[in-house]
Amino acid sequence: MIRNDIKALAAYHVPDSADLIKLDAMENPFTMPDALRKSWSEQLAQVDINRYPDADMQGLREKIAARAGVEAGQVLIGNGSDEIIQMLLLAVNPGTCVVPEPTFVMYDLISRWLKRHVATVPLDKDFSLNAKRLLQVCAREKAGIVFLACPNNPTGNLWPEETIRQIASNFNGLLIIDEAYGPFSERTHTHLIAANVMVLRTFSKLGWAGLRLGYLLGDAESISHLNKVRMPYNVNALTQASANFLLDHFAVFEQQAAEICSERERVMAAFMAMDEVQAFPSQANFILIRVADADVVFDGLKAAGILVKNMNGAGGLLAECLRITIGTRDENDAVLTAIREIMA
Ligand SMILES: Cc1ncc(COP(=O)(O)O)c(C=O)c1O
């Protein structure tokens, strides 16, 4: 009854994090200030939950558009950016999905659900991306769509704008620039939006992972077509009300993102001072490190009450690597202390 290729898939695994310091999923470690939390809950109490949510979300799209410097008609809202990746892979012309390797796993997984072939372009040892090589793969594989996570997950680096421009101007399929970690990076890419270039964003890493809200910015015509494969009520009424509220208090979350970036630099400097740790430059809210034995360090951190993401199983460039989300100052200190003890 179920397709054999679906039976053969490994389900997306979410580990149990009960009682652990949770640094495995790039969440914002800060909770909402109390006064804000109170007015947010008052706002939620106003929602008429007996009614279906606003299907068109014109008001929310206007708010997002104003912040992004585009028109409301250029905004598509999804139940997390994962849902938008699914809409894109459903609607885009037939053809291979081309992605760098390693990158965010959902591009590959959702392509498989939809029986779309995936081709990967290996990154270099320093995680740089060769645009010419990627374009060759696109031509050879007759690619329909390319996803570039900028900064990339799980490596944390941001490829030069020139690399992205080169791909954008020489690829005739659809290029998606995924800015999930844009709030922590030195550069974003709305200025590159064109008929074949769109920018994907999420609220998840900014402090609102529980909301499930992502959005796509693109040219109005393509967005209007993509809207046809969006479930009519894909974003629930509580999420819509929350997003409207939070966008009115955006500065609070920008301040938290700035604090995360400064903690990232402090943690990076501490890693650089450890001979046993190779830390890769990051423009995201996490740092990828390589150690002699990632499984031992992962288990040691867990025994110390800290959950990070062990990338070792993926092999290749991620062999002996751990991805560590930046937490609060105390959480980061706990990580550094535990790693020093494990290494000693
Ligand atoms: C590059 C990238 N894109 C998209 C997502 C998914 O974000 P969302 O929570 O909006 O589905 C993630 C989550 O880790 C990610 O790393």
Side-chain angles (χ1 to χ4, degrees), residues 197-251:
V197 181
M198 295 185 174
V199 169
L200 180 61
R201 291 184 177 166
T202 177
F203 281 19
S204 295
K205 317 298 171 183
L206 255 183
W208 311 331
L211 273 190
R212 305 305 296 133
L213 197 115
Y215 59 94
L216 182 71
L217 308 173
D219 80 291
E221 192 187 335
S222 305
I223 291 287
S224 75
H225 293 309
L226 283 167
N227 206 30
K228 299 172 196 168
V229 296
R230 184 176 66 81
M231 291 287 175
Y233 305 114
N234 64 328
V235 178
N236 75 72
L238 296 175
T239 293
Q240 289 188 29
S242 302
N244 268 303
F245 175 82
L246 294 167
L247 281 166
D248 291 339
H249 300 89
F250 207 71

Side-chain angles (χ1 to χ4, degrees), residues 112-191:
R112 287 168 191 268
W113 298 347
L114 299 173
K115 293 197 167 203
R116 189 180 282 272
H117 180 63
V118 179
T120 56
V121 181
L123 296 178
D124 291 330
K125 267 194 181 144
D126 61 354
F127 303 139
S128 59
L129 173 65
N130 184 321
K132 213 168 133 198
R133 201 183 308 151
L134 184 136
L135 288 164
Q136 280 165 355
V137 173
C138 288
R140 189 187 70 216
E141 300 281 336
K142 299 189 175 44
I145 187 164
V146 170
F147 287 94
L148 295 180
C150 302
N152 191 35
N153 170 17
T155 58
N157 60 321
L158 178 65
W159 298 303
E161 179 159 341
E162 186 44 38
T163 305
I164 296 160
R165 277 184 186 277
Q166 211 182 326
I167 295 165
S169 50
N170 291 286
F171 174 50
N172 53 15
L174 183 60
L175 170 63
I176 305 300
I177 303 174
D178 183 341
E179 294 188 343
Y181 304 97
F184 314 98
S185 80
E186 67 186 16
R187 194 182 77 230
T188 53
H189 303 88
T190 40
H191 56 287

